[in-house]
Amino acid sequence: MEGSSGKSILQFAPFQSSVDEGFWHGLSSLKLNKFGIDDSPIPITGFYAPCSHSQVSNHLTLLAESLPSDSSEESEVPEISRGNRNRCSVPGILYNTNTVEGFHGLDKQGLLKAEAQKIWEDIHNGRALEDSSVLSRFLLISFADLKKWSFHYWFAFPALVLDPPATLVDLRPASQCFSLEEAESLSAAFNEWRNSSLTADVPFFLVQIDTNSHATIKHLKDWETCQSADGHKLLFGFYDPCHLPNNPGWPLRNFLALICSRWDIKSVHFLCYRENRGFADMGLSLVGEALITVPQGWRDHPYVPNAVGWELNKGRKIPRGISLAKSMDPTRLAISAADLNLKLMRWRALPSLNLNSLSSLKCLLLGAGTLGCQVARTLMAWGVRRITLVDNGRVAMSNPLRQSLYTLDDCLNGGEFKATAAVNSLKRIFPAVEAKGVVMAIPMPGHPVPSQEEQTVLDDCRSLHDLIDSHDVVFLLTDTRESRWLPSLLCANTNKITITAALGFDSFLVMRHGAGPFSSSHDSNAEAANSLSADMSNLGLTDRDGGKRLGCYFCNDVVAPIDSTSNRTLDQQCTVTRPGLAPIASALAVELLVGILHHPHGIFAEGDVLNSSNSESSEQPLGILPHQIRGSLAQFSQMTLVGHSSDSCTACCSTVVSEYRKRGMEFILQAINHPTYLEDLTGLTELMKSASSFELDWDDGTDEDDDDCVEV
């Protein structure tokens, strides 16, 4: 681990703070209901974790649970469960003043000095070896204006000053400092350390590598044991919240003070531990060497070194402020709470999650039944705020148990229209949703239209065209096969993202339709500009390979859609499915949409298959992006399939789309009124005739002896 001969002063990346709104609400409750005018210091707990992204540092975070319980009679230390790998707890102290003048008048340097003295005492009495988190203890001063729901606050992360400062000999990625065997053993040791509930949140430790390249992680209190091993490499490791490639994080400052004062080590080899997706990342982690000169007076226990550590606000030494007045409105508060899970995803699991694109996405749901209700709620959970539901049915007494947006009140007096009742329910659940309901029937092939009703049907066709044109995503969630034909055609014509979900008794199909037959980069860019926000314009609406496009719901059919509702028994008229099926299919449909939005090729993304060798798919933030998902509750199984477009498809082939573009509503009426028209147009009729023309030479099984048989 010898580095270049050049030396410089070792510089540290400052700690950064992040305070959840729940902390301020909790503090307000404690102030109002328990503390009153008592401004005694309050013990609190902060949380941080090793850096887990090459571009983002982790912050020290305060949550509602950082505060002591308001049920206790005294200000006790908050009860925090240990062993959470993503939440290393750090002790802190809060000084909350009664007036803003008191806040500004606090002796900030004196408070910082007092906390630094606690760290110094913990180093000398050995407590820091038993509980190393005390090396990162912090200070928070605040003033809570509960009338205006505003808060002034300032963090300090006390760091003992080395004088003269430590000099940096070498700092490089850990992957460059170890042999392959050492790196593999070290990664395995770290993963074991991080996965154990006993050590996962222990932020400072010793790293020992023996002559056989075997790595071991040990507690600081095991220092004497490590000293007795000759020929072993020894590094001082810590969880580094910083992502910078040329600077260790702030926690190393007090760690060096401990190493210098307790063990009198002048050349320190340290390891800044960082992660990627929950596993040790030797490329992101750093290994360095620093030279330390023991400052004068450090041998004397009464002596307390100088300290620094007040957090800067935009480069200046001033406090921060936050107002919760806006969030106190129920609607605004609902928005904040609803987005919390999505924002937490961006911290670690999905940093690339584009919340703005999801919130501006306009989704059209054709069908407000069992599937439509579930899809609408799941879309809202993903942050989608603009939803339109289309249905011409009314809420029946049998609906509320299976269709989650309806109640008994919606069934009374003949039943509310589903589209209207669903929108009202969505707004009660989440007032900020921009939901609209459209009561309309979808014209269907195989359902001939009397001449006196033609104008009404044509109006419905035009309305459906306009709805699809004004939305970004279309979900086909209707009960019948033929009701999906016209939307599939219109979506293929306008190149819309289209998701189909269909149910059997114990099976389901969820699929995304491929791009339309005439999509082009020019058309697609115009489409993106007209329908999506600027955040959505990079969905990759260009065919990367010029390959065969994915099929739609009708591409595997050899017959045109026909009337599937007439002359049916009651169990055939109703959607008879196992109750758990719809939530599964609905959730997968929405997840499929989110996968498309986060794929670089968008609607043109190839269909991935589970366990495929396509390495690109596994590298996507949300994993593979299948074309079709078919599941069975009878087998408790599901599979991913790929089906390409058909040149004879009755909904999306170039022949059908071209005919629609030329003839418009006249074409649609002909397809509706003449059951065989689509088959004739696409060549399916000739295909079936060709198949029927093959005559197999079967033995008719007759002989003369049959004359003796008696007919019964």
Side-chain angles (χ1 to χ4, degrees):
M1 296 188 297
E2 295 294 326
S4 60
S5 58
K7 300 178 182 178
S8 60
I9 294 177
L10 180 58
Q11 295 183 326
F12 310 86
F15 237 140
Q16 295 176 300
S17 65
S18 174
V19 185
D20 184 80
E21 284 188 8
F23 176 86
W24 299 122
H25 285 287
L27 177 60
S28 301
S29 176
L30 286 172
K31 182 70 175 174
L32 286 171
N33 302 321
K34 181 179 177 181
F35 296 140
I37 61 172
D38 183 5
D39 59 358
S40 302
I42 306 168
I44 58 176
T45 302
F47 305 98
Y48 83 99
C51 172
S52 57
H53 195 279
S54 60
Q55 300 297 321
V56 182
S57 295
N58 279 336
H59 296 183
L60 184 133
T61 304
L62 295 186
L63 307 172
E65 58 199 271
S66 298
L67 292 160
S69 171
D70 58 3
S71 61
S72 57
E73 295 183 358
E74 298 180 0
S75 299
E76 300 174 348
V77 177
E79 295 183 4
I80 304 296
S81 60
R82 305 300 296 266
N84 187 331
R85 57 177 293 127
N86 293 320
R87 287 185 10 182
C88 301
S89 57
V90 179
I93 198 76
L94 167 64
Y95 290 85
N96 186 56
T97 64
N98 288 313
T99 65
V100 68
E101 293 81 5
F103 171 80
H104 290 296
L106 285 172
D107 180 6
K108 299 175 182 59
Q109 193 57 37
L111 294 175
L112 182 67
K113 185 80 171 180
E115 294 307 305
Q117 182 172 356
K118 295 178 184 177
I119 296 174
W120 183 248
E121 290 175 354
D122 290 336
I123 289 174
H124 279 273
N125 63 26
R127 183 187 174 193
L129 301 182
E130 297 292 333
D131 180 10
S132 59
S133 67
V134 298
L135 292 175
S136 299
R137 71 166 66 243
F138 67 97
L139 165 69
L140 173 63
I141 61 174
S142 67
F143 163 68
D145 185 346
L146 301 184
K147 184 177 181 179
K148 298 180 179 179
W149 285 95
S150 62
F151 303 83
H152 302 269
Y153 66 99
W154 201 346
F155 276 85
F157 304 99
L160 303 174
V161 176
L162 293 172
D163 188 15
T167 56
L168 181 64
V169 177
D170 186 32
L171 185 68
R172 65 182 69 177
S175 57
Q176 301 178 14
C177 301
F178 302 108
S179 66
L180 180 61
E181 293 79 10
E182 290 175 337
E184 290 178 349
S185 178
L186 187 56
S187 295
F190 272 129
N191 293 334
E192 181 179 356
W193 178 271
R194 292 283 286 150
N195 288 325
S196 170
S197 60
L198 299 177
T199 56
D201 58 352
V202 177
F204 298 88
F205 42 83
L206 303 172
V207 179
Q208 187 179 51
I209 304 177
D210 63 22
T211 55
N212 295 322
S213 300
H214 178 71
T216 307
I217 314 296
K218 296 187 177 182
H219 292 275
L220 298 184
K221 62 184 178 182
D222 297 326
W223 161 255
E224 298 294 338
T225 305
C226 296
Q227 281 295 95
S228 62
D230 296 331
H232 291 193
K233 295 179 182 179
L234 182 63
L235 298 93
F236 298 88
F238 70 101
Y239 292 162
D240 191 355
C242 173
H243 77 280
L244 299 177
N246 299 315
N247 299 92
W250 197 256
L252 180 59
R253 296 196 64 150
N254 289 335
F255 198 16
L256 291 178
L258 179 147
I259 296 168
C260 174
S261 62
R262 284 197 67 90
W263 298 321
D264 195 21
I265 298 176
K266 296 179 174 58
S267 177
V268 178
H269 292 87
F270 59 88
L271 188 150
C272 309
Y273 174 79
R274 301 170 181 177
E275 293 183 336
N276 183 16
R277 297 186 178 183
F279 296 96
D281 189 333
M282 292 296 103
L284 190 58
S285 299
L286 302 177
V287 170
E289 180 183 2
L291 299 181
I292 305 175
T293 301
V294 179
Q296 185 176 4
W298 275 43
R299 302 295 187 193
D300 304 323
H301 178 60
Y303 173 83
V304 179
N306 291 326
V308 295
W310 285 105
E311 185 181 27
L312 299 181
N313 180 10
K314 298 180 181 180
R316 301 168 59 194
K317 285 189 174 182
I318 56 175
R320 300 170 185 257
I322 184 174
S323 174
L324 300 185
K326 293 182 179 179
S327 67
M328 298 311 296
D329 173 75
T331 299
R332 291 183 178 272
L333 193 58
I335 294 173
S336 176
D339 288 341
L340 177 60
N341 185 55
L342 298 174
K343 291 179 179 179
L344 292 179
M345 288 183 187
R346 296 181 61 181
W347 285 11
R348 306 185 197 282
L350 192 60
S352 61
L353 179 62
N354 191 333
L355 296 181
N356 290 332
S357 66
L358 285 167
S359 63
S360 63
L361 194 69
K362 290 180 283 188
C363 291
L364 177 64
L365 279 56
L366 301 182
T370 308
L371 288 169
C373 291
Q374 295 288 349
V375 167
R377 296 200 64 157
T378 310
L379 284 172
M380 289 201 305
W382 263 111
V384 175
R385 299 292 178 256
R386 301 179 180 181
I387 300 173
T388 301
L389 296 107
V390 176
D391 201 301
N392 72 329
R394 293 181 179 270
V395 183
M397 288 292 184
S398 61
N399 293 154
L401 290 178
R402 296 178 296 110
Q403 301 175 11
S404 58
L405 294 180
Y406 309 129
T407 65
L408 179 62
D409 290 342
D410 298 317
C411 308
L412 304 178
N413 301 318
E416 185 73 62
F417 280 111
K418 286 187 175 181
T420 305
V423 166
N424 293 336
S425 181
L426 290 177
K427 291 182 177 179
R428 285 194 298 270
I429 294 169
F430 186 62
V433 68
E434 298 177 30
K436 295 190 297 183
V438 178
V439 179
M440 186 184 74
I442 298 176
M444 299 179 286
H447 296 253
V449 181
S451 58
Q452 65 271 23
E453 296 180 11
E454 279 189 4
Q455 190 57 48
T456 301
V457 171
L458 289 176
D459 290 342
D460 287 340
C461 291
R462 294 187 183 95
S463 297
L464 183 61
H465 174 275
D466 293 342
L467 282 169
I468 289 176
D469 195 52
S470 62
H471 287 76
D472 307 314
V473 180
V474 180
F475 284 88
L476 306 186
L477 310 169
T478 52
D479 287 341
T480 62
R481 177 170 166 267
E482 62 266 31
S483 62
R484 302 168 190 261
W485 174 79
L486 182 56
S488 296
L489 167 62
L490 297 177
C491 289
N493 179 57
T494 53
N495 203 43
K496 295 291 183 178
I497 297 175
T498 310
I499 308 290
T500 284
L503 305 178
F505 166 65
D506 57 8
S507 60
F508 66 84
L509 164 68
V510 176
M511 67 178 295
R512 56 187 175 101
H513 292 206
F518 300 119
S519 58
S520 66
S521 58
H522 172 76
D523 293 338
S524 300
N525 290 336
E527 177 71 22
N530 290 331
S531 60
L532 292 178
S533 65
D535 293 323
M536 296 298 299
S537 63
N538 58 351
L539 287 181
L541 297 179
T542 55
D543 198 350
R544 50 180 167 174
D545 300 320
K548 196 169 179 64
R549 61 189 180 90
L550 297 177
C552 77
Y553 180 70
F554 294 92
C555 278
N556 289 334
D557 293 347
V558 294
V559 294
I562 58 174
D563 185 358
S564 65
T565 60
S566 299
N567 195 25
R568 303 291 181 182
T569 60
L570 181 60
D571 63 321
Q572 293 172 323
Q573 296 174 30
C574 299
T575 305
V576 179
T577 65
R578 291 173 61 167
L581 206 62
I584 297 172
S586 302
L588 289 174
V590 176
E591 294 295 328
L592 201 56
L593 167 64
V594 178
I596 296 172
L597 299 180
H598 285 80
H599 196 286
H601 302 289
I603 196 174
F604 284 105
E606 294 181 355
D608 297 324
V609 179
L610 188 63
N611 300 324
S612 69
S613 58
N614 184 1
S615 59
E616 182 182 359
S617 64
S618 61
E619 295 174 358
Q620 298 305 321
L622 293 171
I624 70 169
L625 180 60
H627 175 222
Q628 301 180 26
I629 307 168
R630 294 179 180 266
S632 169
L633 275 184
Q635 303 296 327
F636 281 91
S637 64
Q638 69 182 39
M639 65 180 72
T640 54
L641 303 172
V642 176
H644 292 110
S645 60
S646 168
D647 293 336
S648 301
C649 177
T650 58
C652 78
C653 73
S654 58
T655 303
V656 171
V657 176
S658 296
E659 196 69 12
Y660 168 69
R661 290 187 174 186
K662 286 189 296 185
R663 299 175 55 205
M665 295 299 125
E666 179 187 355
F667 162 76
I668 293 177
L669 269 182
Q670 190 170 358
I672 291 173
N673 289 327
H674 301 280
T676 63
Y677 170 66
L678 290 173
E679 295 176 1
D680 296 339
L681 177 66
T682 58
L684 287 177
T685 302
E686 291 299 322
L687 179 64
M688 297 301 292
K689 288 180 179 179
S690 299
S692 301
S693 66
F694 290 101
E695 295 183 0
L696 300 179
D697 187 15
W698 292 99
D699 182 357
D700 61 10
T702 61
D703 55 37
E704 297 178 356
D705 294 338
D706 286 345
D707 295 338
D708 297 332
C709 294
V710 177
E711 183 177 351
V712 179

